[in-house]
Amino acid sequence: MKIIILTLGLLAATASQATNMQWKALSKKILSQHTEECKNLKINVSEIVKNSHIQGAVTGFKETSLDDFKVLFYVRTENWYVHPYEYNPAQPSGYSYSDFAAGGTFWIRSVFRTPAKEMAVIVVPSPHFIYNKSSGLKGLLKYACNYVVVPGNGDFAP
């Protein structure tokens, strides 16, 4: 019985690592295909409505490139947390990430919990894994095309 449990654990760990390596490889490939666009990408958060939504748009992508990317939102209290909900693979766009609509627009729900010190809006390749929590911003930006950090002022709470 112990051998079966150990074998299943090893298979699960190997599958998880393969999946982890797959999104990284795909993300690197997409980033290399869009290097110039990522350098010129501008992110504009046009509206933050507490307990409703965050919306904005990017400029600098070709319309045909929009499907290759998504937007992640993280807020910082004592750590960085994905906003507004913990990610799970069954979630559609608008919960823990936003796909791009025509013209490079994005939209995500917003929920107030604790006032955030800052919010990071990060454009990443579509296969990028969504971390629910991070102790630092550097790890979240490793495979970013571009990002913007919106500072808080004590009242800021997406």
Side-chain angles (χ1 to χ4, degrees):
M1 186 64 147
K2 288 182 183 179
I3 292 174
I4 293 173
I5 292 171
L6 287 173
T7 304
L8 289 174
L10 182 60
L11 288 173
T14 304
S16 173
Q17 188 172 13
T19 302
N20 193 21
M21 291 169 59
Q22 287 174 330
W23 79 256
K24 287 180 181 179
L26 288 170
S27 291
K28 286 180 182 179
K29 182 179 178 183
I30 291 169
L31 287 171
S32 69
Q33 293 170 345
H34 299 280
T35 303
E36 287 305 310
E37 287 175 289
C38 287
K39 285 181 188 175
N40 298 316
L41 186 71
K42 302 286 185 245
I43 304 166
N44 178 38
V45 177
S46 57
E47 188 173 57
I48 300 173
V49 179
K50 185 174 163 180
N51 287 321
S52 180
H53 66 276
I54 301 168
Q55 70 182 28
V58 296
T59 55
F61 272 150
K62 297 174 189 163
E63 197 72 24
T64 56
S65 300
L66 293 172
D67 287 343
D68 290 340
F69 293 90
K70 64 185 172 190
V71 184
L72 305 179
F73 301 82
Y74 285 88
V75 292
R76 184 174 68 88
T77 53
E78 71 280 1
N79 289 302
W80 287 96
Y81 295 93
V82 69
H83 184 77
Y85 302 105
E86 234 180 60
Y87 173 72
N88 78 59
Q91 287 173 334
S93 176
Y95 286 87
S96 297
Y97 69 95
S98 176
D99 289 325
F100 288 106
T105 61
F106 57 82
W107 184 95
I108 191 166
R109 288 163 176 75
S110 179
V111 176
F112 175 77
R113 290 186 185 88
T114 302
K117 296 172 184 159
E118 44 191 354
M119 176 179 66
V121 183
I122 309 169
V123 176
V124 297
S126 292
H128 192 285
F129 181 78
I130 300 172
Y131 296 100
N132 288 320
K133 177 182 172 185
S134 177
S135 59
L137 188 57
K138 185 176 180 182
L140 297 173
L141 300 177
K142 188 170 182 179
Y143 297 97
C145 171
N146 211 327
Y147 70 99
V148 64
V149 175
V150 179
N153 61 8
D155 294 330
F156 175 74

